[in-house]
Amino acid sequence: MVAAWLLLLAAALAAVGVLGSVTTEAVSIPGSDSQAARDLGDEAFPGSASGRQPLVLHTAADGPLLTSPASTEAVKQAAAAIARVDHVVAVTTPYDPAGAKAISADGRTGYLSVELDVTGREITPGITDRITAAAAPATAAGIEVTPGGFLAAAVDKGSTGHSEAIGLAAAFVVLALTFGGLVAAGLPLLAGGLGLGISLSVLGLVGHLVDMPSSGETIAAMIGLGVGIDYTLFGLTRFRELLAAGVGREEAAVRTTAGSGKAVAFAGSAVIAALAGLALGGIPLLYALALAPGIAVLVAVGINLTLLPAVLVLLGPRLAARPRRGAKADQAGPRGWGRIAEVVAARPWRCLIAATLLVGALALPAAQLAFGQLDAGSNATGSASRTAYDRLATAFGPGINGTLQVTDTLATPAEGPTDDRVTAVTRAPAVVYRPVCTVLPRRRHRPV
């Protein structure tokens, strides 16, 4: 059984190594006006599965302007090289009519619009690296090139392994003090870590089939690690009690699985059923956020019901509670947590007030908590996505990182960008929101 689970972990990691782990921040809401507009635009302008992905151009205060002849030529050469990269179907420069608004007023910030034949979640770090490398003529001319959008998301995807490592270290200290032994303290962590490795690998592979947000992996890691340790503690505690009562290791493992294992199976099934309720909303994002922790909980239950009994039999007496130094055999009365419970039971109201004040003090930071939809502006400083976001926001003002797509269908084909019906669509949102509106073709060679 141990070999089977280790083989499963190795297979999952190998599959991720070969196929890659995919996440996306794309959100679709079937039946909504915004989704209808997006679908209509994709149908009318096919060929660019990714949409327009920015490649931000920026020059320092002492550098050449993007409007200078040397910079213009360098950017055009870079755009031509990028257009030859695999999966790139079109590149719009700030010097094309369709990209006339893509240079800031001071001439120091601009962006190329790169379109690819793969969706945002299919953009890999390799694609982004090749596109950035192809922009070498612009870099050689003193222009900083930073990917944005899905191009940046592909290379910025970091690992939360450090946070899990800190949590595991803290849990190990607590468990070691509680159980009084390193082997007993390490078992729940090994079970939780094994489940976490398998769950995150599976989610990375699932991302190839459905839109899996990066937050889904974070939630899965948090819940999966928690229940993995918690469920193992149920069984380990019962197993130690049975060993202390003189039950043999194999019989103790059987009784542990029949008792604590049944509770774990019920608890895990209840959690998965509750998460499955999110899928009833019909929103793919919620479905993904339910699927991610659901997989983690399912793996944790499987480990507890199959792997844990085998490990309990293998380790046996090594997991037994060790007698405390200086403890007398005839010592009466509760000790440790039993003594604490006795004090709480004797003075319930005092303990309740003290605990409430403590929890309230710990919860004070939540009073400043602001809720909202996160974007690249919330990413780590120095990351490509955050750098591109800040430079565009500084150069073009609010709204540049959250553009709106307005779609309309004309009864007859438009005569060109100056058609009154086209300009009417452009003016309509400007009257209400006063943004910078530009009707752009999806590809340079395609008319509006």
Side-chain angles (χ1 to χ4, degrees):
M1 186 58 66
V2 173
W5 277 99
L6 292 178
L7 181 61
L8 178 60
L9 175 62
L13 294 176
V16 171
V18 173
L19 302 177
S21 178
V22 177
T23 60
T24 177
E25 306 308 320
V27 178
S28 61
I29 307 178
S32 64
D33 291 343
S34 59
Q35 189 64 43
R38 178 178 177 178
D39 293 341
L40 182 60
D42 292 342
E43 180 181 355
F45 303 100
S48 174
S50 67
R52 293 173 174 270
Q53 302 304 315
L55 197 65
V56 181
L57 311 172
H58 179 74
T59 61
D62 57 348
L65 295 177
L66 293 177
T67 53
S68 66
S71 297
T72 300
E73 181 62 26
V75 171
K76 288 183 177 180
Q77 291 179 5
I82 293 172
R84 293 191 294 269
V85 174
D86 292 341
H87 300 295
V88 175
V89 296
V91 181
T92 303
T93 73
Y95 316 110
D96 298 326
K101 299 292 185 179
I103 290 186
S104 61
D106 61 3
R108 298 200 174 277
T109 304
Y111 58 90
L112 301 174
S113 295
V114 182
E115 302 177 54
L116 302 95
D117 59 5
V118 294
T119 62
R121 66 185 177 89
E122 295 173 327
I123 296 177
T124 63
I127 293 177
T128 301
D129 292 339
R130 288 192 293 271
I131 290 175
T132 305
T139 305
I143 301 173
E144 298 180 39
V145 180
T146 307
F150 287 119
L151 295 175
V155 295
D156 281 347
K157 182 183 177 182
S159 172
T160 59
H162 63 283
S163 59
E164 278 84 11
I166 294 174
L168 288 173
F172 180 77
V173 173
V174 174
L175 292 173
L177 294 176
T178 302
F179 287 116
L182 299 182
V183 177
L187 180 56
L189 299 183
L190 290 176
L194 176 64
L196 184 64
I198 295 175
S199 301
L200 294 183
S201 298
V202 171
L203 290 178
L205 299 175
V206 170
H208 289 275
L209 304 176
V210 299
D211 288 336
M212 179 61 65
S214 57
S215 57
E217 292 188 346
T218 303
I219 296 174
M222 177 180 64
I223 296 180
L225 189 59
V227 299
I229 294 176
D230 196 26
Y231 292 168
T232 305
L233 286 177
F234 289 164
L236 179 58
T237 301
R238 179 58 177 160
F239 183 75
R240 285 159 59 97
E241 292 175 351
L242 292 171
L243 288 182
V247 180
R249 66 170 74 178
E250 292 186 4
E251 180 64 20
V254 171
R255 294 187 186 182
T256 295
T257 306
S260 299
K262 186 184 298 182
V264 166
F266 179 84
S269 300
V271 172
I272 294 174
L275 291 171
L278 291 175
L280 300 178
I283 300 178
L285 175 63
L286 295 182
Y287 176 78
L289 293 180
L291 179 63
I295 291 176
V297 174
L298 182 62
V299 172
V301 172
I303 288 176
N304 192 271
L305 298 181
T306 59
L307 177 63
L308 181 61
V311 176
L312 293 179
V313 173
L314 290 175
L315 297 180
R318 297 182 181 180
L319 300 174
R322 296 180 180 178
R324 297 175 180 270
R325 294 182 178 179
K328 298 181 180 179
D330 59 348
Q331 184 177 2
R335 302 189 306 272
W337 293 107
R339 177 58 181 165
I340 294 175
E342 189 177 69
V343 171
V344 173
R347 303 171 181 82
W349 286 106
R350 295 181 183 179
C351 294
L352 175 62
I353 294 174
T356 302
L357 293 176
L358 176 60
V359 172
L362 295 175
L364 280 178
Q368 305 298 323
L369 186 64
F371 295 93
Q373 183 68 35
L374 298 179
D375 56 15
S378 302
N379 292 348
T381 302
S383 62
S385 54
R386 177 64 182 273
T387 301
Y389 182 98
D390 290 343
R391 285 178 175 174
L392 290 176
T394 301
F396 296 93
I400 185 63
N401 288 297
T403 55
L404 302 177
Q405 174 176 307
V406 181
T407 306
D408 194 9
T409 303
L410 306 180
T412 58
E415 297 178 357
T418 59
D419 191 300
D420 291 341
R421 295 169 297 172
V422 175
T423 56
V425 175
T426 304
R427 288 195 303 267
V431 173
V432 180
Y433 301 107
R434 298 184 184 278
V436 177
C437 296
T438 306
V439 176
L440 299 178
R442 282 279 177 157
R443 303 167 74 176
R444 287 182 296 174
H445 62 271
R446 183 183 296 279
V448 175

